[in-house]
Amino acid sequence: MIPARGGSKRIPQKNIVDFLGKPMLAWTVEAALQSGCFDRVLVSTDDQSIAEVGRQAGAEVPFLRAAAVDDHAHVSEATLLALGQAEEYWQVTYDLVVQLMPNCPLRDAKAINKAVDSFIRGDRDFQISCFAYGWSNPWWANTLLADGSPRPKFPEAGQSRSQDLPELYCPTGAIWIARVPAFRNAGTFYGPGYKFEPMPIWAAADIDEPDDLTLARVLAAGRAAIGTI
């Protein structure tokens, strides 16, 4: 399930903006298809132009989503609605749903395979992708007052060396997985007993702001330079 609404504001038409020569959405569709994991790769959108890009990339887009399309709707709600539409349209009941956000274009087929394998081997109901913070140490985070005075979020960590502090992880929208009955009961991928599954920081890039887009392009160029992407 690739939920790709059309009303993005911070980056207009974010889900189909050019990313390294093709629409951003196409990277996720192609990774899903190349993984070989799925019975169907479905793009769920309210936007005809996004639907057409999804079809051209190889996804199925037999219907549009008429609800959960504004920026107040949670993505889990959108996926639940689209899942119901898919089961009604194809007259089939699905066991697992994997949600791949289109604004994570650096997540590849190998990452999808690894996440799905971990989900199945761990006999999990819910799994959310995450990455370890890199050079930016979250233990040393501060808020700033109007006059520039810092207020540390973790004052007790301020005197510790970075190597003595435990790793912290941030969720990313790259690969979320759930068993469908549990997903429906919980209404969210953050259901009872959900687990995090780490992935490399370069593959986890989650693009919401223009600066995120620039950073993802830099990451992709760096990986290409060393023959990894």
Side-chain angles (χ1 to χ4, degrees), residues 92-132:
V92 65
T93 299
Y94 291 104
D95 301 312
L96 298 180
V97 59
V98 179
Q99 177 184 277
L100 306 174
M101 295 300 291
N103 60 321
C104 298
L106 299 183
R107 163 253 298 111
D108 57 13
K110 182 178 178 181
I112 295 171
N113 286 129
K114 182 177 181 296
V116 171
D117 182 62
S118 181
F119 180 87
I120 293 171
R121 283 189 295 102
D123 193 25
R124 297 171 173 176
D125 283 337
F126 303 94
Q127 181 177 292
I128 292 170
S129 54
C130 69
F131 64 94

mmCIF file of all heavy atoms in Angstrom, residues 92-132:
data_model
loop_
_atom_site.group_PDB
_atom_site.id
_atom_site.type_symbol
_atom_site.label_atom_id
_atom_site.label_comp_id
_atom_site.label_asym_id
_atom_site.label_seq_id
_atom_site.Cartn_x
_atom_site.Cartn_y
_atom_site.Cartn_z
ATOM 1 N N VAL A 92 -11.194 -10.237 -2.176
ATOM 2 C CA VAL A 92 -10.177 -11.066 -1.541
ATOM 3 C C VAL A 92 -9.929 -10.503 -0.143
ATOM 4 O O VAL A 92 -10.187 -9.325 0.119
ATOM 5 C CB VAL A 92 -8.870 -11.057 -2.372
ATOM 6 C CG1 VAL A 92 -8.250 -9.662 -2.402
ATOM 7 C CG2 VAL A 92 -7.861 -12.078 -1.868
ATOM 8 N N THR A 93 -9.456 -11.357 0.767
ATOM 9 C CA THR A 93 -9.091 -10.921 2.111
ATOM 10 C C THR A 93 -7.585 -11.028 2.254
ATOM 11 O O THR A 93 -7.000 -12.081 1.980
ATOM 12 C CB THR A 93 -9.771 -11.799 3.174
ATOM 13 O OG1 THR A 93 -11.191 -11.681 3.031
ATOM 14 C CG2 THR A 93 -9.377 -11.364 4.576
ATOM 15 N N TYR A 94 -6.964 -9.950 2.677
ATOM 16 C CA TYR A 94 -5.505 -9.937 2.812
ATOM 17 C C TYR A 94 -5.082 -10.241 4.241
ATOM 18 O O TYR A 94 -5.765 -9.884 5.199
ATOM 19 C CB TYR A 94 -4.947 -8.576 2.371
ATOM 20 C CG TYR A 94 -5.088 -8.364 0.873
ATOM 21 C CD1 TYR A 94 -6.070 -7.528 0.367
ATOM 22 C CD2 TYR A 94 -4.262 -9.041 -0.013
ATOM 23 C CE1 TYR A 94 -6.221 -7.358 -1.003
ATOM 24 C CE2 TYR A 94 -4.404 -8.875 -1.376
ATOM 25 C CZ TYR A 94 -5.384 -8.038 -1.869
ATOM 26 O OH TYR A 94 -5.531 -7.885 -3.221
ATOM 27 N N ASP A 95 -3.940 -10.912 4.363
ATOM 28 C CA ASP A 95 -3.405 -11.289 5.671
ATOM 29 C C ASP A 95 -2.452 -10.238 6.222
ATOM 30 O O ASP A 95 -2.451 -9.960 7.421
ATOM 31 C CB ASP A 95 -2.658 -12.623 5.571
ATOM 32 C CG ASP A 95 -3.546 -13.747 5.078
ATOM 33 O OD1 ASP A 95 -4.661 -13.890 5.614
ATOM 34 O OD2 ASP A 95 -3.130 -14.472 4.154
ATOM 35 N N LEU A 96 -1.615 -9.686 5.342
ATOM 36 C CA LEU A 96 -0.609 -8.706 5.744
ATOM 37 C C LEU A 96 -0.742 -7.466 4.883
ATOM 38 O O LEU A 96 -1.080 -7.557 3.697
ATOM 39 C CB LEU A 96 0.812 -9.254 5.573
ATOM 40 C CG LEU A 96 1.231 -10.483 6.367
ATOM 41 C CD1 LEU A 96 2.676 -10.843 6.040
ATOM 42 C CD2 LEU A 96 1.070 -10.247 7.859
ATOM 43 N N VAL A 97 -0.451 -6.319 5.478
ATOM 44 C CA VAL A 97 -0.374 -5.083 4.705
ATOM 45 C C VAL A 97 0.962 -4.422 5.017
ATOM 46 O O VAL A 97 1.390 -4.370 6.169
ATOM 47 C CB VAL A 97 -1.553 -4.126 5.029
ATOM 48 C CG1 VAL A 97 -1.589 -3.747 6.503
ATOM 49 C CG2 VAL A 97 -1.491 -2.882 4.158
ATOM 50 N N VAL A 98 1.625 -3.972 3.978
ATOM 51 C CA VAL A 98 2.885 -3.248 4.114
ATOM 52 C C VAL A 98 2.668 -1.855 3.541
ATOM 53 O O VAL A 98 2.291 -1.708 2.382
ATOM 54 C CB VAL A 98 4.025 -3.953 3.362
ATOM 55 C CG1 VAL A 98 5.331 -3.172 3.501
ATOM 56 C CG2 VAL A 98 4.214 -5.377 3.884
ATOM 57 N N GLN A 99 2.878 -0.856 4.366
ATOM 58 C CA GLN A 99 2.702 0.536 3.948
ATOM 59 C C GLN A 99 4.067 1.137 3.625
ATOM 60 O O GLN A 99 4.967 1.145 4.459
ATOM 61 C CB GLN A 99 2.038 1.329 5.070
ATOM 62 C CG GLN A 99 1.860 2.811 4.771
ATOM 63 C CD GLN A 99 1.289 3.533 5.959
ATOM 64 O OE1 GLN A 99 0.091 3.548 6.171
ATOM 65 N NE2 GLN A 99 2.164 4.134 6.766
ATOM 66 N N LEU A 100 4.204 1.614 2.394
ATOM 67 C CA LEU A 100 5.444 2.237 1.928
ATOM 68 C C LEU A 100 5.143 3.679 1.563
ATOM 69 O O LEU A 100 4.435 3.941 0.587
ATOM 70 C CB LEU A 100 5.990 1.493 0.701
ATOM 71 C CG LEU A 100 6.203 -0.018 0.838
ATOM 72 C CD1 LEU A 100 6.612 -0.615 -0.512
ATOM 73 C CD2 LEU A 100 7.238 -0.333 1.901
ATOM 74 N N MET A 101 5.664 4.613 2.331
ATOM 75 C CA MET A 101 5.404 6.014 2.028
ATOM 76 C C MET A 101 6.215 6.450 0.805
ATOM 77 O O MET A 101 7.408 6.153 0.698
ATOM 78 C CB MET A 101 5.751 6.885 3.227
ATOM 79 C CG MET A 101 4.869 6.632 4.439
ATOM 80 S SD MET A 101 3.116 6.945 4.108
ATOM 81 C CE MET A 101 3.132 8.732 3.907
ATOM 82 N N PRO A 102 5.587 7.159 -0.129
ATOM 83 C CA PRO A 102 6.288 7.544 -1.357
ATOM 84 C C PRO A 102 7.360 8.603 -1.146
ATOM 85 O O PRO A 102 8.189 8.828 -2.025
ATOM 86 C CB PRO A 102 5.164 8.065 -2.253
ATOM 87 C CG PRO A 102 4.104 8.522 -1.299
ATOM 88 C CD PRO A 102 4.183 7.581 -0.141
ATOM 89 N N ASN A 103 7.337 9.277 0.013
ATOM 90 C CA ASN A 103 8.344 10.301 0.275
ATOM 91 C C ASN A 103 9.600 9.722 0.931
ATOM 92 O O ASN A 103 10.383 10.443 1.543
ATOM 93 C CB ASN A 103 7.770 11.428 1.143
ATOM 94 C CG ASN A 103 7.267 10.949 2.485
ATOM 95 O OD1 ASN A 103 6.677 9.883 2.590
ATOM 96 N ND2 ASN A 103 7.487 11.730 3.535
ATOM 97 N N CYS A 104 9.783 8.396 0.783
ATOM 98 C CA CYS A 104 11.009 7.710 1.240
ATOM 99 C C CYS A 104 11.638 7.017 0.027
ATOM 100 O O CYS A 104 11.655 5.776 -0.059
ATOM 101 C CB CYS A 104 10.686 6.692 2.319
ATOM 102 S SG CYS A 104 9.961 7.379 3.816
ATOM 103 N N PRO A 105 12.147 7.767 -0.940
ATOM 104 C CA PRO A 105 12.562 7.183 -2.211
ATOM 105 C C PRO A 105 13.857 6.385 -2.166
ATOM 106 O O PRO A 105 14.165 5.656 -3.122
ATOM 107 C CB PRO A 105 12.734 8.405 -3.115
ATOM 108 C CG PRO A 105 13.119 9.505 -2.173
ATOM 109 C CD PRO A 105 12.329 9.237 -0.933
ATOM 110 N N LEU A 106 14.632 6.472 -1.074
ATOM 111 C CA LEU A 106 15.910 5.767 -1.023
ATOM 112 C C LEU A 106 15.785 4.364 -0.426
ATOM 113 O O LEU A 106 16.746 3.595 -0.450
ATOM 114 C CB LEU A 106 16.933 6.586 -0.221
ATOM 115 C CG LEU A 106 17.255 7.962 -0.799
ATOM 116 C CD1 LEU A 106 18.325 8.657 0.023
ATOM 117 C CD2 LEU A 106 17.705 7.850 -2.247
ATOM 118 N N ARG A 107 14.631 4.032 0.105
ATOM 119 C CA ARG A 107 14.387 2.664 0.569
ATOM 120 C C ARG A 107 14.246 1.762 -0.653
ATOM 121 O O ARG A 107 13.447 2.005 -1.541
ATOM 122 C CB ARG A 107 13.131 2.647 1.439
ATOM 123 C CG ARG A 107 12.518 1.293 1.656
ATOM 124 C CD ARG A 107 11.234 1.132 0.885
ATOM 125 N NE ARG A 107 10.212 2.065 1.300
ATOM 126 C CZ ARG A 107 9.779 3.069 0.529
ATOM 127 N NH1 ARG A 107 10.281 3.263 -0.687
ATOM 128 N NH2 ARG A 107 8.825 3.878 0.940
ATOM 129 N N ASP A 108 15.061 0.713 -0.721
ATOM 130 C CA ASP A 108 15.105 -0.112 -1.929
ATOM 131 C C ASP A 108 14.490 -1.493 -1.684
ATOM 132 O O ASP A 108 14.001 -1.790 -0.591
ATOM 133 C CB ASP A 108 16.539 -0.234 -2.453
ATOM 134 C CG ASP A 108 17.494 -0.816 -1.414
ATOM 135 O OD1 ASP A 108 17.025 -1.350 -0.382
ATOM 136 O OD2 ASP A 108 18.726 -0.751 -1.653
ATOM 137 N N ALA A 109 14.513 -2.340 -2.713
ATOM 138 C CA ALA A 109 13.921 -3.670 -2.621
ATOM 139 C C ALA A 109 14.602 -4.517 -1.556
ATOM 140 O O ALA A 109 13.950 -5.284 -0.833
ATOM 141 C CB ALA A 109 14.000 -4.364 -3.980
ATOM 142 N N LYS A 110 15.913 -4.371 -1.425
ATOM 143 C CA LYS A 110 16.646 -5.139 -0.421
ATOM 144 C C LYS A 110 16.164 -4.785 0.983
ATOM 145 O O LYS A 110 15.990 -5.673 1.831
ATOM 146 C CB LYS A 110 18.145 -4.853 -0.555
ATOM 147 C CG LYS A 110 19.009 -5.628 0.413
ATOM 148 C CD LYS A 110 20.484 -5.320 0.181
ATOM 149 C CE LYS A 110 21.372 -6.061 1.182
ATOM 150 N NZ LYS A 110 22.811 -5.736 0.971
ATOM 151 N N ALA A 111 15.936 -3.508 1.249
ATOM 152 C CA ALA A 111 15.445 -3.084 2.563
ATOM 153 C C ALA A 111 14.042 -3.637 2.832
ATOM 154 O O ALA A 111 13.724 -4.031 3.960
ATOM 155 C CB ALA A 111 15.448 -1.563 2.651
ATOM 156 N N ILE A 112 13.204 -3.663 1.799
ATOM 157 C CA ILE A 112 11.853 -4.210 1.949
ATOM 158 C C ILE A 112 11.914 -5.694 2.276
ATOM 159 O O ILE A 112 11.245 -6.188 3.186
ATOM 160 C CB ILE A 112 11.020 -3.960 0.684
ATOM 161 C CG1 ILE A 112 10.790 -2.457 0.485
ATOM 162 C CG2 ILE A 112 9.682 -4.694 0.764
ATOM 163 C CD1 ILE A 112 10.171 -2.097 -0.851
ATOM 164 N N ASN A 113 12.724 -6.437 1.521
ATOM 165 C CA ASN A 113 12.870 -7.868 1.770
ATOM 166 C C ASN A 113 13.339 -8.138 3.201
ATOM 167 O O ASN A 113 12.818 -9.025 3.881
ATOM 168 C CB ASN A 113 13.865 -8.490 0.792
ATOM 169 C CG ASN A 113 13.311 -8.629 -0.607
ATOM 170 O OD1 ASN A 113 13.938 -8.214 -1.570
ATOM 171 N ND2 ASN A 113 12.136 -9.211 -0.751
ATOM 172 N N LYS A 114 14.308 -7.374 3.647
ATOM 173 C CA LYS A 114 14.849 -7.567 4.997
ATOM 174 C C LYS A 114 13.793 -7.288 6.057
ATOM 175 O O LYS A 114 13.660 -8.039 7.034
ATOM 176 C CB LYS A 114 16.059 -6.659 5.208
ATOM 177 C CG LYS A 114 16.734 -6.808 6.564
ATOM 178 C CD LYS A 114 17.958 -5.915 6.648
ATOM 179 C CE LYS A 114 18.658 -6.072 8.008
ATOM 180 N NZ LYS A 114 17.831 -5.627 9.132
ATOM 181 N N ALA A 115 13.014 -6.224 5.867
ATOM 182 C CA ALA A 115 11.983 -5.869 6.843
ATOM 183 C C ALA A 115 10.880 -6.924 6.896
ATOM 184 O O ALA A 115 10.432 -7.327 7.979
ATOM 185 C CB ALA A 115 11.400 -4.500 6.506
ATOM 186 N N VAL A 116 10.418 -7.377 5.738
ATOM 187 C CA VAL A 116 9.357 -8.384 5.698
ATOM 188 C C VAL A 116 9.842 -9.690 6.313
ATOM 189 O O VAL A 116 9.117 -10.347 7.078
ATOM 190 C CB VAL A 116 8.865 -8.597 4.254
ATOM 191 C CG1 VAL A 116 7.928 -9.796 4.168
ATOM 192 C CG2 VAL A 116 8.164 -7.346 3.744
ATOM 193 N N ASP A 117 11.080 -10.077 6.015
ATOM 194 C CA ASP A 117 11.639 -11.301 6.589
ATOM 195 C C ASP A 117 11.710 -11.202 8.116
ATOM 196 O O ASP A 117 11.360 -12.147 8.828
ATOM 197 C CB ASP A 117 13.031 -11.544 6.004
ATOM 198 C CG ASP A 117 13.660 -12.825 6.527
ATOM 199 O OD1 ASP A 117 13.097 -13.913 6.282
ATOM 200 O OD2 ASP A 117 14.709 -12.753 7.201
ATOM 201 N N SER A 118 12.137 -10.046 8.626
ATOM 202 C CA SER A 118 12.223 -9.858 10.072
ATOM 203 C C SER A 118 10.839 -9.924 10.711
ATOM 204 O O SER A 118 10.659 -10.506 11.788
ATOM 205 C CB SER A 118 12.894 -8.514 10.378
ATOM 206 O OG SER A 118 13.018 -8.310 11.764
ATOM 207 N N PHE A 119 9.852 -9.329 10.054
ATOM 208 C CA PHE A 119 8.479 -9.341 10.555
ATOM 209 C C PHE A 119 7.963 -10.773 10.683
ATOM 210 O O PHE A 119 7.376 -11.155 11.700
ATOM 211 C CB PHE A 119 7.585 -8.544 9.606
ATOM 212 C CG PHE A 119 6.139 -8.483 9.996
ATOM 213 C CD1 PHE A 119 5.667 -7.512 10.863
ATOM 214 C CD2 PHE A 119 5.233 -9.405 9.487
ATOM 215 C CE1 PHE A 119 4.330 -7.460 11.218
ATOM 216 C CE2 PHE A 119 3.889 -9.363 9.836
ATOM 217 C CZ PHE A 119 3.442 -8.387 10.704
ATOM 218 N N ILE A 120 8.196 -11.571 9.652
ATOM 219 C CA ILE A 120 7.680 -12.946 9.645
ATOM 220 C C ILE A 120 8.444 -13.815 10.635
ATOM 221 O O ILE A 120 7.848 -14.576 11.410
ATOM 222 C CB ILE A 120 7.739 -13.524 8.217
ATOM 223 C CG1 ILE A 120 6.743 -12.772 7.323
ATOM 224 C CG2 ILE A 120 7.435 -15.018 8.219
ATOM 225 C CD1 ILE A 120 6.856 -13.096 5.857
ATOM 226 N N ARG A 121 9.766 -13.707 10.650
ATOM 227 C CA ARG A 121 10.565 -14.511 11.571
ATOM 228 C C ARG A 121 10.261 -14.155 13.024
ATOM 229 O O ARG A 121 10.284 -15.024 13.897
ATOM 230 C CB ARG A 121 12.058 -14.323 11.288
ATOM 231 C CG ARG A 121 12.563 -15.072 10.068
ATOM 232 C CD ARG A 121 14.087 -15.024 9.952
ATOM 233 N NE ARG A 121 14.588 -13.673 9.723
ATOM 234 C CZ ARG A 121 15.127 -12.902 10.653
ATOM 235 N NH1 ARG A 121 15.253 -13.339 11.902
ATOM 236 N NH2 ARG A 121 15.556 -11.686 10.358
ATOM 237 N N GLY A 122 9.976 -12.889 13.277
ATOM 238 C CA GLY A 122 9.669 -12.461 14.636
ATOM 239 C C GLY A 122 8.242 -12.703 15.054
ATOM 240 O O GLY A 122 7.873 -12.416 16.199
ATOM 241 N N ASP A 123 7.420 -13.212 14.124
ATOM 242 C CA ASP A 123 6.006 -13.479 14.391
ATOM 243 C C ASP A 123 5.338 -12.251 15.019
ATOM 244 O O ASP A 123 4.676 -12.320 16.056
ATOM 245 C CB ASP A 123 5.853 -14.698 15.316
ATOM 246 C CG ASP A 123 4.412 -15.198 15.375
ATOM 247 O OD1 ASP A 123 3.663 -14.962 14.406
ATOM 248 O OD2 ASP A 123 4.038 -15.819 16.391
ATOM 249 N N ARG A 124 5.520 -11.116 14.360
ATOM 250 C CA ARG A 124 5.042 -9.840 14.881
ATOM 251 C C ARG A 124 3.661 -9.494 14.348
ATOM 252 O O ARG A 124 3.252 -9.973 13.291
ATOM 253 C CB ARG A 124 6.040 -8.738 14.509
ATOM 254 C CG ARG A 124 7.400 -8.945 15.138
ATOM 255 C CD ARG A 124 8.453 -7.997 14.607
ATOM 256 N NE ARG A 124 9.694 -8.120 15.367
ATOM 257 C CZ ARG A 124 10.817 -7.469 15.081
ATOM 258 N NH1 ARG A 124 10.860 -6.644 14.033
ATOM 259 N NH2 ARG A 124 11.897 -7.628 15.823
ATOM 260 N N ASP A 125 2.967 -8.630 15.062
ATOM 261 C CA ASP A 125 1.697 -8.083 14.591
ATOM 262 C C ASP A 125 1.893 -6.706 13.954
ATOM 263 O O ASP A 125 1.164 -6.348 13.028
ATOM 264 C CB ASP A 125 0.694 -7.957 15.741
ATOM 265 C CG ASP A 125 0.075 -9.288 16.129
ATOM 266 O OD1 ASP A 125 0.059 -10.215 15.282
ATOM 267 O OD2 ASP A 125 -0.388 -9.416 17.278
ATOM 268 N N PHE A 126 2.855 -5.945 14.480
ATOM 269 C CA PHE A 126 3.099 -4.592 13.987
ATOM 270 C C PHE A 126 4.608 -4.340 13.963
ATOM 271 O O PHE A 126 5.305 -4.674 14.924
ATOM 272 C CB PHE A 126 2.451 -3.537 14.901
ATOM 273 C CG PHE A 126 0.978 -3.702 15.102
ATOM 274 C CD1 PHE A 126 0.491 -4.405 16.197
ATOM 275 C CD2 PHE A 126 0.067 -3.163 14.207
ATOM 276 C CE1 PHE A 126 -0.869 -4.558 16.400
ATOM 277 C CE2 PHE A 126 -1.298 -3.306 14.397
ATOM 278 C CZ PHE A 126 -1.770 -4.006 15.493
ATOM 279 N N GLN A 127 5.069 -3.733 12.893
ATOM 280 C CA GLN A 127 6.493 -3.399 12.787
ATOM 281 C C GLN A 127 6.664 -2.065 12.074
ATOM 282 O O GLN A 127 6.047 -1.830 11.026
ATOM 283 C CB GLN A 127 7.231 -4.495 12.025
ATOM 284 C CG GLN A 127 8.725 -4.255 11.873
ATOM 285 C CD GLN A 127 9.400 -5.418 11.172
ATOM 286 O OE1 GLN A 127 9.484 -6.521 11.726
ATOM 287 N NE2 GLN A 127 9.859 -5.197 9.947
ATOM 288 N N ILE A 128 7.481 -1.204 12.636
ATOM 289 C CA ILE A 128 7.701 0.146 12.112
ATOM 290 C C ILE A 128 9.193 0.350 11.883
ATOM 291 O O ILE A 128 10.013 0.049 12.764
ATOM 292 C CB ILE A 128 7.147 1.189 13.112
ATOM 293 C CG1 ILE A 128 5.617 1.093 13.153
ATOM 294 C CG2 ILE A 128 7.601 2.603 12.757
ATOM 295 C CD1 ILE A 128 4.969 1.897 14.256
ATOM 296 N N SER A 129 9.548 0.839 10.716
ATOM 297 C CA SER A 129 10.956 1.065 10.410
ATOM 298 C C SER A 129 11.496 2.254 11.194
ATOM 299 O O SER A 129 10.769 3.207 11.508
ATOM 300 C CB SER A 129 11.143 1.290 8.902
ATOM 301 O OG SER A 129 10.308 2.338 8.443
ATOM 302 N N CYS A 130 12.785 2.188 11.514
ATOM 303 C CA CYS A 130 13.436 3.257 12.245
ATOM 304 C C CYS A 130 14.900 3.318 11.842
ATOM 305 O O CYS A 130 15.401 2.438 11.140
ATOM 306 C CB CYS A 130 13.315 3.031 13.759
ATOM 307 S SG CYS A 130 14.285 1.630 14.366
ATOM 308 N N PHE A 131 15.571 4.365 12.279
ATOM 309 C CA PHE A 131 17.012 4.472 12.035
ATOM 310 C C PHE A 131 17.668 5.093 13.259
ATOM 311 O O PHE A 131 17.043 5.846 14.014
ATOM 312 C CB PHE A 131 17.299 5.314 10.787
ATOM 313 C CG PHE A 131 16.861 6.752 10.895
ATOM 314 C CD1 PHE A 131 17.742 7.741 11.318
ATOM 315 C CD2 PHE A 131 15.553 7.126 10.585
ATOM 316 C CE1 PHE A 131 17.334 9.059 11.429
ATOM 317 C CE2 PHE A 131 15.143 8.443 10.690
ATOM 318 C CZ PHE A 131 16.036 9.412 11.110
ATOM 319 N N ALA A 132 18.929 4.750 13.442
ATOM 320 C CA ALA A 132 19.691 5.347 14.530
ATOM 321 C C ALA A 132 20.126 6.744 14.111
ATOM 322 O O ALA A 132 20.542 6.957 12.969
ATOM 323 C CB ALA A 132 20.913 4.486 14.850
#
